[in-house]
Amino acid sequence: MEKGSVEPGTTVIRGEKTFKLLGTPLAVGNPLPATGMVDAMTLETVDLSRLKGDVLLLSIVPSIDTKVCEAQTHYLGEEGDKLPATVKRLVLSRDTPFAQKRFAEEAGLTDIRYLSDYKEGAFGRQTGLLIEDLMLLARAVIIVDAGGKVRYLQVVPDIAHLPDMEAAFARAAELAAKRSDRQ
């Protein structure tokens, strides 16, 4: 698992090739931008900026049908079961919702939510995570607190590497505990 991170809106690599990240860079402390994504199971439009009240763990993958993306999603689905129930686990990609749904059902990972940015790459553009040329999302993990603010962000420098899911899980659990302490 990769421990390092790059800033949204900078560059990532795949093999020996460097790719620019397009869009407005997201930063820790800022709210998630308003953007519509398609829920793979319902085909309804979901605005992540409106999902408040629970901690969100966003696992962002370039394409669900690659080995590294599959491993990241399995890790989220299987190891993420240990997280508090107030941590909502989501997988975001530019895959079609139909591909995401097929993957979820075939992998037996239907207890996490899949959101597709396939239409225009609006989420990628509004977070600085859209890979130029490939037009896929960069591999990343974002943790959003119950109030809708970004509290953790890792953009993996080499998109062929897994993010540090354990660090993300620890931060999500910490935010969930703080939330329950206030109630």
Side-chain angles (χ1 to χ4, degrees):
M1 289 195 183
E2 177 72 48
K3 303 282 186 198
S5 184
V6 297
E7 295 295 318
T10 59
T11 61
V12 293
I13 64 169
R14 180 176 180 265
E16 294 187 16
K17 185 156 177 157
T18 300
F19 295 94
K20 184 177 186 332
L21 296 177
L22 304 174
T24 306
L26 184 66
V28 172
N30 289 347
L32 274 179
T35 183
M37 298 188 74
V38 178
D39 184 294
M41 302 303 170
T42 65
L43 299 179
E44 297 290 325
T45 300
V46 175
D47 180 349
L48 288 172
S49 70
R50 295 184 175 270
L51 298 181
K52 294 183 181 163
D54 290 314
V55 173
L56 304 179
L57 192 159
L58 310 178
S59 177
I60 302 163
V61 299
S63 178
I64 201 80
D65 286 319
T66 64
K67 288 181 182 182
V68 180
C69 297
E70 183 177 342
Q72 181 176 335
T73 305
H74 272 278
Y75 202 94
L76 176 70
E78 295 161 8
E79 298 300 319
D81 282 343
K82 300 171 189 167
L83 290 167
T86 56
V87 175
K88 301 304 178 206
R89 296 171 291 153
L90 300 97
V91 175
L92 284 60
S93 74
R94 295 228 39 224
D95 295 294
T96 66
F98 309 107
Q100 290 177 331
K101 183 177 181 181
R102 176 200 40 80
F103 173 86
E105 290 171 349
E106 287 177 2
L109 295 172
T110 55
D111 62 337
I112 53 181
R113 193 169 188 185
Y114 297 81
L115 298 178
S116 175
D117 193 27
Y118 82 100
K119 288 183 179 181
E120 299 164 2
F123 175 81
R125 290 179 196 280
Q126 292 179 348
T127 57
L129 297 175
L130 188 63
I131 303 172
E132 187 177 51
D133 297 333
L134 300 177
M135 300 309 286
L136 299 172
L137 297 177
R139 186 175 313 285
V141 178
I142 300 171
I143 309 294
V144 181
D145 68 17
K149 288 195 177 174
V150 175
R151 296 299 176 193
Y152 176 93
L153 172 61
Q154 181 191 15
V155 181
V156 182
D158 183 336
I159 64 171
H161 295 171
L162 286 171
D164 187 347
M165 297 299 283
E166 286 302 319
F169 286 178
R171 184 68 172 128
E174 176 187 324
L175 289 169
K178 284 182 184 177
R179 178 187 170 274
S180 63
D181 287 346
R182 288 188 209 134
Q183 293 180 339

